[in-house]
Amino acid sequence: MNSFADRTGIEHPIVQGPFGGGLSTVELLGVVSDGGGLGSFGAHILDGQGILDLVAECRDRTSRPFNVNLWVPQPGEPRAVAAADAIRLRPYYTALGLELPQGIETSNYADQLAAVLESAPPVVSFVMGIPDARFIQAARKRGIRLVGTATTVDEAVAVEAAGMDAVVASGSDAGGHRGAFLRPVHESLVGTFSLVPQVARAVAIPVVAAGGIADGRGVAAAMTLGADAVQVGTGFLATTQSGASPVHRSVLRSERARTTVLTRIFSGRTARGISNRIVRDMAPFENEVPAYPAQNALMVPIRQHAARHGDPELLNLWSGQAAALAGSADAGEYLAELIAALPDRSVVVR
Ligand SMILES: Cc1cc2nc3c(=O)[nH]c(=O)nc-3n(C[C@H](O)[C@H](O)[C@H](O)COP(=O)(O)O)c2cc1C
């Protein structure tokens, strides 16, 4: 009763990575959970009521375990956008005829935690930090399984010490935001092949390998490295059931996805995505854009405009380094391809 699958009650140790920023869908979560994996929903932009509604919708969609994911807020996050913050983006606002946002819309973390406790989804995962001991205790009492995310061995040890049930070892190959929380991101960029075996050696809780796994070979390799389960993000983002815009999905399946970068320009927090014009044009200002969520608030109108107009050059094209390995465009078929590659778990080396 110690494996990730046993702890979470799933049949096959394949997790569909949660996507924040509106890219998760209940449909994708449902297809993956119904298929015996763990479907996930990135809920960090939802308020308390939004989380209550989401969990009810997930329960309607699937009778099997699913995962709701939250971001732990970082100390000192800005609460407002200053006029000077927008200086580098003004040319885009002018060219696109957009209005600068007046403030930052963020969700209240305490409300999110209260909603999670009230609705008690089967699994809750966290990134960017570790929830406090009181929440962990209360969640355990309600039978919620808790998963933390680590980008370094030290973070994995901290996740285990906090009493979480499992840890996602997120290599720097992964798409989306980096979750580093003990040291700066640039000191926490460990590739999946280096990270997973070291984390597996350092902790006793199940390790979920994430980052650059998009086909059966990656699944088999991660399990050989000591992972107990795998978390696949970009490969599921490229399926028709994800919330990615058509233009994002088509770039993920093109040769352009071979070139990804880590950049702060879309949100104020370092994330991996496919390079495009705005990434290259803003690169000189990489270190001067304001911190998350201020830069995120400033970029939302530009990103929304780009998604509406199918313009890949101004869009946040989140992607990991293995997008080209993604399989079937249907999430159910893709999940079956990943499951077929799972090795006999009795031979996993720790
Ligand atoms: C668009 C996108 C959004 C993501 N949002 C979140 C998130 O909100 N919370 C989280 O824990 N992980 C998030 N991730 C990470 C994925 O859940 C997963 O760990 C990662 O994508 C695995 O690496 P891969 O992209 O190489 O498959 C995101 C990834 C992508 C591509």
Side-chain angles (χ1 to χ4, degrees):
M1 177 57 189
N2 215 11
S3 74
F4 183 80
D6 287 341
R7 286 187 179 203
T8 55
I10 59 172
E11 198 179 333
H12 307 292
I14 307 278
V15 182
Q16 168 249 313
F19 307 130
L23 297 177
S24 284
T25 65
V26 174
E27 180 54 19
L28 177 58
L29 172 150
V31 167
V32 173
S33 287
D34 282 351
L38 186 67
S40 305
F41 197 105
H44 79 92
I45 58 173
L46 298 182
D47 61 12
Q49 188 57 48
I51 288 175
L52 296 179
D53 295 344
L54 168 72
V55 173
E57 209 187 319
C58 293
R59 286 209 167 94
D60 280 348
R61 176 61 185 76
T62 181
S63 56
R64 302 181 95 174
F66 58 87
N67 168 39
V68 172
N69 174 269
L70 293 176
W71 291 17
V72 178
Q74 307 283 290
E77 285 181 354
R79 308 309 315 158
V81 180
D85 289 344
I87 184 159
R88 301 296 177 191
L89 294 176
R90 276 188 192 280
Y92 296 93
Y93 274 84
T94 307
L96 303 174
L98 299 171
E99 295 279 316
L100 275 170
Q102 295 306 307
I104 302 179
E105 280 176 41
T106 51
S107 307
N108 183 296
Y109 178 63
D111 291 349
Q112 292 179 327
L113 293 185
V116 159
L117 290 177
E118 188 181 333
S119 55
V123 183
V124 179
S125 68
F126 288 87
V127 67
M128 320 277 183
I130 300 174
D132 65 37
R134 242 187 25 196
F135 169 81
I136 292 176
Q137 227 174 12
R140 285 183 159 282
K141 268 200 203 132
R142 285 164 177 76
I144 301 170
R145 291 300 190 176
L146 296 174
V147 179
T149 306
T151 64
T152 62
V153 175
D154 290 340
E155 289 176 357
V157 169
V159 165
E160 179 176 51
M164 311 288 272
D165 294 292
V167 60
V168 176
S170 169
S172 55
D173 326 31
H177 285 90
R178 298 306 303 147
F181 60 92
L182 286 183
R183 304 190 68 82
V185 172
H186 70 274
E187 293 182 15
S188 312
L189 295 173
V190 188
T192 305
F193 251 67
S194 301
L195 183 64
V196 170
Q198 294 185 67
V199 169
R201 201 167 54 187
V203 301
I205 53 175
V207 176
V208 182
I213 303 167
D215 68 3
R217 291 166 297 180
V219 171
M223 302 302 262
T224 301
L225 292 172
D228 192 52
V230 299
Q231 177 160 298
V232 175
T234 300
F236 279 111
L237 190 66
T239 66
T240 52
Q241 287 94 340
S242 87
S245 61
V247 61
H248 189 170
R249 206 176 289 121
S250 81
V251 177
L252 280 173
R253 290 194 177 274
S254 77
E255 289 186 0
R256 288 190 62 176
R258 291 177 183 166
T259 310
T260 67
V261 288
L262 286 168
T263 178
R264 290 180 66 242
I265 70 119
F266 286 114
S267 70
R269 193 175 266 173
T270 306
R272 185 176 293 286
I274 296 163
S275 189
N276 60 7
R277 180 161 67 80
I278 197 165
V279 166
R280 286 189 295 272
D281 289 354
M282 290 286 289
F285 317 118
E286 181 71 28
N287 293 324
E288 66 180 68
V289 300
Y292 179 90
Q295 178 70 2
N296 194 60
L298 288 168
M299 286 299 290
V300 163
I302 297 173
R303 288 169 4 196
Q304 285 175 343
H305 183 278
R308 266 199 313 276
H309 291 82
D311 178 2
E313 299 307 328
L314 300 180
L315 202 56
N316 49 329
L317 297 165
W318 301 141
S319 173
Q321 291 180 317
L325 300 176
S328 172
D330 175 77
E333 287 172 18
Y334 182 46
L335 176 67
E337 290 161 14
L338 299 173
I339 289 172
L342 283 167
D344 175 352
R345 266 174 280 161
S346 61
V347 300
V348 167
V349 183
R350 280 201 89 105

